[in-house]
């Protein structure tokens, strides 16, 4: 739940909102309609401020800060805190199989039907992509009289690491850092036996989340003295 240090209509069609506590998956449109009296139809001017020390993060299904207003609307976003997309999960490892792919990181901000001016003194980061799991292997203890392998045993690769994002500023293992893709998993190398080796490829890396995703009807200008991790287009 958002806690507002102040929230009021500046004039007809003009609103000011300041967020002073952590929010997960903040949707500006919904907040304006549900809590501030906007009709959802007329173009508006919004000033949104995120205070220092406040974390706005995404969950596992959406962007951290979603802005989808009406054509002709303007937003001045002053971020003194942290806006961060959720991390991509690491790929799953399986016995004797190709490594699982890493999950994609989530975006920090999405802009639709609004002209946004972003003043950033804090952090805006897309979630890091998850790392691919390493591949599993098959190997045999011996060859039979015809030279065929028998008595196969399998081994499991290593799971991929999660990316950075959400409440986590750092990645794990081969997961991507804030706003960067994960790394692919390595091919299987952990053979149970020395003979008749068969290895499987590692999983694909997860894509990076964007710091700012500009969607239909959206535009942005940025003044940045903080940190922005990830694409902003």
């Amino acid at each position: 739940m958002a806690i507002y240090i102040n929230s009021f209509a500046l004039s007809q069609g003009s609103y000011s909102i300041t967020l002073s506590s952590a929010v997960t998956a903040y949707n500006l449109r919904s907040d304006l309609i549900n809590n501030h009296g906007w009709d959802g139809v007329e173009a508006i001017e919004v000033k949104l401020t995120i205070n220092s020390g406040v974390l706005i993060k995404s969950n596992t299904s959406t962007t951290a800060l979603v802005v989808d207003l009406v054509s002709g609307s303007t937003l001045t976003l002053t971020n003194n805190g942290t806006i961060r997309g959720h991390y991509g999960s690491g790929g799953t490892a399986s016995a004797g199989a190709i490594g699982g792919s890493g999950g994609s990181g989530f975006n920090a901000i999405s802009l639709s039907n609004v002209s946004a001016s972003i003043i950033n003194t804090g952090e805006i980061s897309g979630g890091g992509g998850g790392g691919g799991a390493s591949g599993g292997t098959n190997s045999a203890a011996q060859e039979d009289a015809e030279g065929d392998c028998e008595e196969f045993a399998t081994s499991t690769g290593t799971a991929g690491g999660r990316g950075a994002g959400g409440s986590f500023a750092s990645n794990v293992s081969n997961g991507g850092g804030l706003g960067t893709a994960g790394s692919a998993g390595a091919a299987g190398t952990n053979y149970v036996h020395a003979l008749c080796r068969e290895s499987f490829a590692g999983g694909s890396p997860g894509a990076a989340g964007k710091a700012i995703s500009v969607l239909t009807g959206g535009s942005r200008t940025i003044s940045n003295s903080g940190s922005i991790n990830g694409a902003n287009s």
Side-chain angles (χ1 to χ4, degrees):
M1 176 182 295
I3 296 178
Y4 307 103
I5 199 166
N6 57 59
S7 170
F8 53 89
L10 296 173
S11 61
Q12 184 68 25
S14 184
Y15 300 85
S16 178
I17 298 172
T18 300
L19 301 180
S20 59
S21 68
V23 184
T24 298
Y26 178 73
N27 188 300
L28 179 60
R29 178 185 182 86
S30 296
D31 192 18
L32 285 164
I33 292 173
N34 295 334
N35 301 307
H36 307 291
W38 180 44
D39 62 10
V41 176
E42 69 171 328
I44 56 173
E45 174 189 356
V46 182
K47 294 183 178 180
L48 175 62
T49 301
I50 299 169
N51 280 351
S52 177
V54 173
L55 172 63
I56 310 299
K57 64 178 182 177
S58 69
N59 55 26
T60 57
S61 62
T62 192
T63 298
L65 171 58
V66 177
V67 180
D68 184 2
L69 301 181
V70 171
S71 179
S73 297
T74 62
L75 168 69
T76 300
L77 170 62
T78 302
N79 176 49
N80 303 309
T82 299
I83 308 171
R84 194 180 288 164
H86 198 275
Y87 59 81
S89 58
T92 301
S94 300
I98 294 172
S101 297
S104 297
F106 287 79
N107 299 330
I109 300 173
S110 65
L111 302 173
S112 303
N113 301 307
V114 65
S115 176
S117 175
I118 299 173
I119 304 164
N120 180 54
T121 67
E123 177 198 315
I124 303 173
S125 297
S134 61
T137 60
N138 287 332
S139 55
Q142 60 185 2
E143 294 178 301
D144 62 18
E146 287 75 34
D148 296 323
C149 297
E150 59 181 23
E151 296 184 17
F152 267 95
T154 63
S155 68
T156 303
T158 302
R162 64 159 174 78
S167 300
F168 301 100
S170 299
N171 60 329
V172 173
S173 184
N174 63 342
L178 293 170
T180 61
S183 298
T189 57
N190 183 28
Y191 299 103
V192 178
H193 302 295
L195 303 176
C196 300
R197 298 176 177 182
E198 178 185 18
S199 65
F200 295 88
S204 300
K210 290 184 175 183
I212 304 167
S213 176
V214 181
L215 304 175
T216 302
S219 65
R220 88 288 180 270
T221 60
I222 302 171
S223 174
N224 179 45
S225 59
S227 62
I228 295 177
N229 301 293
N232 58 73
S233 60

